[in-house]
Amino acid sequence: MLPVLLTDTVSTDLDRALHYALLWGHEGLVLRTMGRHGERVPTVNEAKLRRRLEEHEMPLVAVEPGLFEGAAADRTQGFTDLGELAEVAAFCERFACHVVLIGALAADPAADPTAGADLLRRAGAAAQRHGLTLAVRNAAGTGCASGQALARLLAAVDHPHVQAAWSPIEALRVDADPMAGVQGLAGRVALTVVRDGQAEAAGWTETTPGDGAVDWNAHLAALRASGFDGPLCLEVHGEPVGPFGLRATTALVRLVRAQRRAERSA
């Protein structure tokens, strides 16, 4: 399992985000927005991105271009996103990146999470032609928040190039059991989003991994048992960013090492 950083949760300034990623010991980047005005991938400064990644020998593990985040009923936007996938694929090819994070076409919390399955199946076929995997995010406040809902969507899509970008914290925020989610998604997780926190009377409080409501030790063990050995994408939402990100990365690396030791001793 590979610790990687979603850059714009630290900064949209690439140099600053790279500085932190290297300082904290991340082994790859996930890119969403970049630059002074927060340009969305793939319309970013490619020349600068390439120089910086090559200088630091840092791989681009995944991108999140903002596709398929609307409602399944909005077919016009859905097909527009499908058309834009070719541009994203070309960008990914130039950077040897093979994972694209996407939405679940389930923007309405009351919607059927499988309603966008046909369009996502078409997207999966397009991704396959370009050697890409689409990783569908679950998100609180949508019709695809829990792992069970995401698993139902992937089963309906039924395409090997459409997998999960699994976020247990998003399931927790709608009172769903994240362990039930990871079990339902077994064999279908391309990337795992790492955050932790606690629901308190004053609202949601971010914590470092392992100090919140997600049992990350058990979660990583369950992911590994299901065959997952992919990116663990840290999102930094605590403040101040520098100290919190360092503590969060340190906690994540310790969790991964503990999991590896448990595997060796088994």
Side-chain angles (χ1 to χ4, degrees):
M1 290 184 272
L2 190 75
V4 302
L5 179 67
L6 179 58
T7 57
D8 64 11
T9 62
V10 173
S11 175
T12 59
D13 181 273
L14 179 63
D15 291 322
R16 185 178 181 215
L18 257 172
H19 166 75
Y20 279 122
L22 292 162
L23 179 67
W24 298 339
H26 285 276
E27 298 178 46
L29 300 182
V30 177
L31 185 64
R32 183 168 53 189
T33 58
M34 176 183 131
R36 182 179 300 175
H37 302 293
E39 292 89 353
R40 191 80 180 239
V41 66
T43 56
V44 297
N45 186 335
E46 285 196 29
K48 178 177 181 178
L49 179 62
R50 184 178 305 282
R51 284 196 307 271
R52 294 296 185 264
L53 295 180
E54 290 176 352
E55 285 169 6
H56 299 291
E57 298 181 341
M58 181 71 78
L60 185 59
V61 171
V63 298
E64 187 170 4
L67 302 180
F68 307 109
E69 294 179 346
D74 187 352
R75 304 290 286 180
T76 300
Q77 183 58 54
F79 278 99
T80 297
D81 289 347
L82 188 59
E84 291 178 359
L85 190 56
E87 182 182 355
V88 174
F91 175 91
C92 289
E93 185 176 2
R94 291 192 290 273
F95 286 91
C97 174
H98 301 289
V99 178
V100 178
L101 276 62
I102 64 170
L105 284 170
D108 181 354
D112 175 5
T114 67
D118 178 65
L119 191 56
L120 292 183
R121 191 178 306 111
R122 297 187 188 203
Q128 183 174 17
R129 291 193 293 272
H130 294 286
L132 296 175
T133 294
L134 304 181
V136 183
R137 270 187 180 266
N138 61 304
T142 76
C144 197
S146 69
Q148 296 94 318
L150 183 53
R152 289 197 299 273
L153 172 61
L154 295 181
V157 173
D158 192 25
H159 196 287
H161 285 254
V162 182
Q163 301 291 315
W166 165 235
S167 178
I169 207 71
E170 296 297 315
L172 268 176
R173 295 182 77 164
V174 295
D175 297 321
D177 179 6
M179 286 302 293
V182 77
Q183 289 160 7
L185 290 166
R188 287 178 165 164
V189 179
L191 176 146
T192 299
V193 177
V194 178
R195 285 178 68 183
D196 211 342
Q198 295 278 7
E200 299 178 350
W204 184 259
T205 300
E206 294 284 329
T207 71
T208 56
D211 291 332
V214 178
D215 185 346
W216 274 107
N217 270 314
H219 215 82
L220 291 182
L223 282 165
R224 194 68 192 92
S226 73
F228 175 78
D229 194 28
L232 298 170
C233 180
L234 181 70
E235 295 187 2
V236 180
H237 295 277
E239 294 288 347
V241 165
F244 183 89
L246 175 59
R247 293 196 306 271
T249 303
T250 301
L252 174 57
V253 170
R254 285 175 179 164
L255 286 163
V256 171
R257 287 176 178 168
Q259 177 59 33
R260 290 171 180 165
R261 286 194 300 270
E263 290 177 11
R264 287 195 297 267
S265 63

